Amino acid sequence: MKNRVYIFDTTLRDGEQSPGASMSVREKLEIALQLERMGVDVIEAGFPVSSPAQMEGVSLVASELKHVTIAAFARAVKTDLDAAAASLAKARHGRIHTFIATSPIHMKHKLGKEPAQVLQMAVDAVKYAKGLAKEVEFSAEDASRSDYGFLSEIVQAVIEAGASIINLPDTTGYAVPEEYQRLFSEVMAKTPNADKAVFSVHCHNDLGMAVANSLAGVMGGARQVEVSVNGIGERAGNAALEEIVMALSTRRDSFKLETGIKTEEIFRTSKLLSTTIGFPIPANKAIVGKNAFAHESGIHQDGVLKERSTYEIMTPESIGRKSSDIVLGRHSGKHGFTKKLAELGYEPDREALEKAWQRFTEVADKKKEVFDDDLVAIVEDALHASVPETWKLAYVNFTGGNTSIPTATVVLEKNGERFQEAATGDGPVDAIYGAVNRIVNIPGVVLEQYSLSAVTGGMDALGEATVSIRWENKLYSGRAAATDVVLASCRAYVNAINRMLMPMRKA
Ligand code: KIV
Ligand code: ZN
């Protein structure tokens, strides 16, 4: 189908390579199930050789998902390819995605190899992979800084060796759209067997052009787009799934191309990822940011009230966003609560539902009006608790003010035993984190980032705290929501510590 663009989602592989974005195996499965529900064609679930947890993550996703193709990432070496094949053993549709760098700069400085050696390694890897999996994708890493003649030589050879998907990444985010489009049209024209493969784009956002470049590559002939939810990924990230899909859909008149994405699932997927890894979505983020459909100026509001299309090129409903209604309050029953969650697309298991209900009753007690966005934060909080609670917050108390030193007392529980500590700090949050550090007693944990935002408006708004901590050169995130922002901050910190204490996720 010439008009079909395949969406290859790499949130769980390239996306998870963003500092602080690592996920537990269970979280990966949850995201993968939502990606499948949304209709992506391929899920790149991880880099199996890099750690036992990566292997476990890819294997679990491969065995649980029924419809989508699962890709496993591998360098062009046998150990990686064997690991990728093992992780895909239970996949209904498995793909090995192998790569080697083809630019002069990478071949010389990173690989220390001549082009002829690289070509041979690529062919050997693809042949070997083809014996292990039904489908093989080959990526020419740093393609946008490679010689087009060499690229077509290697592409022709790997297609002959059995690769049916050819990815030409802009690994460093260096390309500009016109140039990236030409890369595809020229390499495809120069490669005699190009019609035997689907060509793919994979763009990084270092200069803020990942989406524009990806779409240019599609105009040059590519029919697979590698994306990640919310654009997470190495450094400045990858092309954002939601932006690519909505650009193709909103400007169908120009692209004349289709994807298989149910766009109404986009917002929910974006939220799920954001809360899972604790990366807040910037308010002005295209498509999924809080302000993406907000009209502030009088002229704009007037225009939208008269005719929506004056300032809206797509509807919030088309990506599954609803305007925030007042939904529940302290008198709402559990039945109504569960029903409302289902309407919002959540069917948590019994344990998570119980946690969410507990949290809801606490919030509804303090807040007169509980909005859709509050409910989403509450239920995501409960789902986020899938990080094993090695440490559990039992009690927190703090005192402070402009004339006294902020002091906090914290009680944490571990294996049923309670531990209490107190500390002072620059403010209540600093004091609480100091007390938590004393209890947990792991030297070298550094708070890298802390942010607090209101989920909805008003004095009684639910506050959402996200933190990231660094330990042994790795970042771990945590999040929590509560009407009391200091409590939310404490829970978020404990959540990050628990995430840090989970079994290792990647090499
Ligand atoms: O950015 C990149 O080049 C990649 C791989 C596809 C090699 O992530
Ligand atoms: Zn990449």
Side-chain angles (χ1 to χ4, degrees):
M1 268 193 295
K2 275 198 138 149
N3 292 345
R4 176 72 150 78
V5 170
Y6 298 99
I7 300 295
F8 174 115
D9 183 277
T10 186
T11 307
L12 302 180
R13 197 278 297 169
D14 209 322
E16 209 210 11
Q17 287 172 218
S18 324
S22 47
M23 293 167 234
S24 69
V25 168
R26 206 177 130 187
E27 286 169 336
K28 278 192 159 188
L29 178 61
E30 206 185 321
I31 303 271
L33 287 166
Q34 176 57 22
L35 289 170
E36 182 173 60
R37 196 172 302 133
M38 185 167 60
V40 304
D41 299 288
V42 185
I43 294 175
E44 184 163 53
F47 187 10
V49 82
S50 68
S51 74
Q54 285 279 326
M55 171 66 91
E56 196 192 333
V58 182
S59 309
L60 182 67
V61 170
S63 67
E64 292 297 312
L65 271 70
K66 313 234 162 17
H67 309 293
V68 72
T69 295
I70 306 299
F73 196 54
R75 287 166 299 185
V77 292
K78 280 190 176 171
T79 42
D80 284 38
L81 298 163
D82 286 333
S87 73
L88 296 174
K90 294 204 175 127
R92 282 158 189 88
H93 315 273
R95 175 188 296 183
I96 293 182
H97 177 194
T98 187
F99 73 100
I100 192 160
T102 52
S103 64
I105 202 165
H106 274 235
M107 289 191 289
K108 180 169 175 209
H109 299 291
K110 191 178 82 175
L111 302 175
K113 297 211 182 292
E114 292 299 320
Q117 292 173 292
V118 167
L119 192 145
Q120 194 55 51
M121 281 179 77
V123 169
D124 291 347
V126 169
K127 271 193 190 148
Y128 189 67
K130 192 64 189 163
L132 301 171
K134 251 202 203 126
E135 214 167 51
V136 178
E137 170 168 342
F138 172 75
S139 282
E141 191 189 12
D142 206 17
S144 57
R145 294 192 297 169
S146 303
D147 175 76
Y148 291 8
F150 178 55
L151 272 181
S152 33
E153 221 182 302
I154 200 166
V155 166
Q156 179 180 354
V158 294
I159 295 175
E160 271 163 19
S164 53
I165 303 98
I166 300 295
N167 185 33
L168 303 179
D170 180 29
T171 303
T172 56
Y174 179 75
V176 296
E178 175 274 334
E179 187 180 82
Y180 198 57
Q181 174 170 354
R182 193 154 37 82
L183 167 70
F184 282 86
S185 48
E186 284 194 16
V187 171
M188 287 172 76
K190 272 193 173 102
T191 308
N193 52 0
D195 61 323
K196 305 272 182 308
V198 171
F199 280 69
S200 170
V201 297
H202 176 114
C203 296
H204 281 269
N205 207 28
D206 300 66
L207 292 173
M209 288 190 277
V211 169
N213 282 334
S214 301
L215 294 170
V218 168
M219 277 150 59
R223 286 295 176 268
Q224 174 178 281
V225 185
E226 303 199 355
V227 289
S228 65
V229 176
N230 299 340
I232 66 166
E234 279 284 356
R235 307 181 310 281
N238 289 81
L241 178 147
E242 60 278 10
E243 295 177 29
I244 295 283
V245 169
M246 290 315 286
L248 289 173
S249 147
T250 308
R251 296 308 312 273
R252 198 176 277 121
D253 62 319
S254 165
F255 291 105
K256 301 189 171 45
L257 295 168
E258 303 291 335
T259 70
I261 299 292
K262 295 179 192 75
T263 61
E264 296 77 15
E265 291 291 331
I266 284 180
F267 190 54
R268 188 169 164 225
T269 314
S270 160
K271 277 262 182 203
L272 175 66
L273 178 73
S274 158
T275 49
T276 300
I277 60 175
F279 282 21
I281 303 168
N284 64 337
K285 165 82 182 63
I287 319 290
V288 291
K290 203 168 182 160
N291 295 346
F293 294 92
H295 304 281
E296 177 73 20
S297 91
I299 295 173
H300 286 213
Q301 285 178 356
D302 181 54
V304 169
L305 285 174
K306 285 178 177 145
E307 167 56 45
R308 252 176 130 165
S309 62
T310 49
Y311 287 99
E312 265 182 23
I313 56 166
M314 57 199 152
T315 63
E317 291 79 10
S318 66
I319 60 149
R321 276 178 95 143
K322 293 191 195 114
S323 49
S324 210
D325 303 321
I326 298 169
V327 281
L328 300 173
R330 87 178 62 179
H331 301 298
S332 306
K334 195 168 178 183
H335 182 67
F337 172 76
T338 315
K339 211 166 146 232
K340 185 68 204 173
L341 288 189
E343 263 173 51
L344 292 169
Y346 291 96
E347 281 168 20
D349 62 23
R350 250 209 356 227
E351 198 187 327
L353 179 65
E354 210 38 58
K355 269 195 182 128
W357 171 248
Q358 276 304 322
R359 227 18 97 71
F360 167 74
T361 53
E362 285 163 31
V363 170
D365 243 2
K366 297 190 178 122
K367 203 172 179 314
K368 280 192 250 60
E369 301 163 330
V370 182
F371 295 88
D372 283 3
D373 284 352
D374 294 323
L375 283 176
V376 169
I378 289 166
V379 72
E380 291 288 0
D381 229 18
L383 293 171
H384 207 61
S386 68
V387 175
E389 275 191 298
T390 309
W391 291 100
K392 200 170 168 180
L393 177 65
Y395 168 90
V396 58
N397 184 52
F398 55 89
T399 56
N402 61 348
T403 55
S404 58
I405 296 172
T407 309
T409 306
V410 174
V411 178
L412 297 184
E413 245 178 55
K414 187 181 182 185
N415 300 329
E417 204 182 330
R418 287 188 160 215
F419 301 82
Q420 174 170 329
E421 279 292 351
T424 57
D426 293 340
V429 174
D430 190 40
I432 287 171
Y433 288 8
V436 170
N437 285 343
R438 283 192 177 160
I439 297 174
V440 172
N441 193 23
I442 302 175
V445 176
V446 176
L447 179 68
E448 282 276 325
Q449 217 180 32
Y450 165 81
S451 76
L452 191 61
S453 60
V455 175
T456 47
M459 291 294 284
D460 58 359
L462 206 56
E464 188 169 51
T466 51
V467 301
S468 83
I469 57 175
R470 186 178 288 280
W471 183 59
E472 293 190 339
N473 253 335
K474 287 204 183 110
L475 282 171
Y476 303 90
S477 64
R479 86 172 270 290
T483 46
D484 179 330
V485 293
V486 180
L487 180 60
S489 304
C490 184
R491 281 194 188 135
Y493 192 65
V494 174
N495 184 242
I497 300 252
N498 284 333
R499 188 176 287 272
M500 176 182 100
L501 295 174
M502 284 192 318
M504 287 288 289
R505 273 152 302 223
K506 59 184 183 191

